[in-house]
Amino acid sequence: MQFVQLNSRSTGLAELFEEIDLLMNSLYPAEANDLVPINEIDNPQTYIIGHYDNGELVACGSFVLKDDNGIYAELKRIYVKPSQRGKGMAKAIIEHLIMHAKREEIGEIKLETGDQQTAAIKLYESFGFRHCGTFGQYNAEPSSVFMQLTLDDCQQ
């Protein structure tokens, strides 16, 4: 599976972000969503990739470097269009992001997802992510699920 590094001007990214935002806002209250806006991805702390199928951006994923009691990468915007699901694309995106984080010598990856994202939670657990407490800017929302992965322990 081929991934390309994206930026805010990448073809189809604005539309894909809109699709993600619509989904998240339909599942969770606005105050529970921490959606990175497209105008904040063009910085050295953000690494974002995507997959194009016949010229259409059908999947993306990113991490943002954070420094909150130590440097870590926070996974953001992991998304595969419904028409492309079931092909292992989300798994491939996460594998790619983990490998990139390892190359950058980042020791830990964290994420926040929603309790209705059961397939995503199972996928993260399959990589060795463990449930953890809140971190960074997050408050303990009833629907939030926090997870972390120590890359020293990761077999990927």
Side-chain angles (χ1 to χ4, degrees):
M1 193 162 304
Q2 198 79 26
F3 294 108
V4 295
Q5 191 165 353
L6 302 172
N7 62 51
S8 64
R9 296 166 308 286
S10 295
T11 302
L13 188 61
E15 293 81 4
L16 199 61
F17 270 30
E18 280 181 34
E19 191 172 317
I20 298 167
D21 293 352
L22 284 171
L23 173 63
M24 293 300 106
N25 289 323
S26 74
L27 295 174
Y28 306 104
E31 63 273 7
N33 287 324
D34 182 43
L35 303 169
V36 175
I38 197 166
N39 64 342
E40 290 183 16
I41 67 167
D42 293 333
N43 66 69
Q45 288 76 39
T46 301
Y47 176 71
I48 183 167
I49 58 168
H51 176 72
Y52 286 89
D53 183 44
N54 293 320
E56 177 188 11
L57 184 61
V58 296
C60 67
S62 71
F63 67 67
V64 179
L65 289 178
K66 305 274 182 107
D67 189 354
D68 173 48
N69 296 320
I71 295 173
Y72 61 91
E74 181 184 354
L75 292 187
K76 304 293 284 183
R77 299 281 188 175
I78 309 295
Y79 185 74
V80 177
K81 283 183 166 265
S83 64
Q84 300 292 315
R85 292 182 186 159
K87 300 177 181 179
M89 207 171 295
K91 181 179 180 186
I93 289 169
I94 295 167
E95 285 174 344
H96 182 96
L97 293 172
I98 288 172
M99 293 307 298
H100 188 76
K102 283 183 168 184
R103 280 193 301 275
E104 296 294 317
E105 299 180 355
I106 299 163
E108 188 171 46
I109 298 177
K110 297 182 180 186
L111 64 90
E112 183 271 343
T113 190
D115 59 1
Q116 295 186 51
Q117 312 303 112
T118 55
I121 292 167
K122 286 179 184 174
L123 180 59
Y124 296 132
E125 288 172 340
S126 76
F127 279 97
F129 280 85
R130 304 228 185 285
H131 294 261
C132 65
T134 61
F135 61 88
Q137 76 280 9
Y138 294 102
N139 296 315
E141 295 287 337
S143 60
S144 289
V145 175
F146 299 96
M147 303 180 86
Q148 65 185 22
L149 175 69
T150 302
L151 294 182
D152 293 340
D153 301 334
C154 180
Q155 300 302 312
Q156 299 298 320

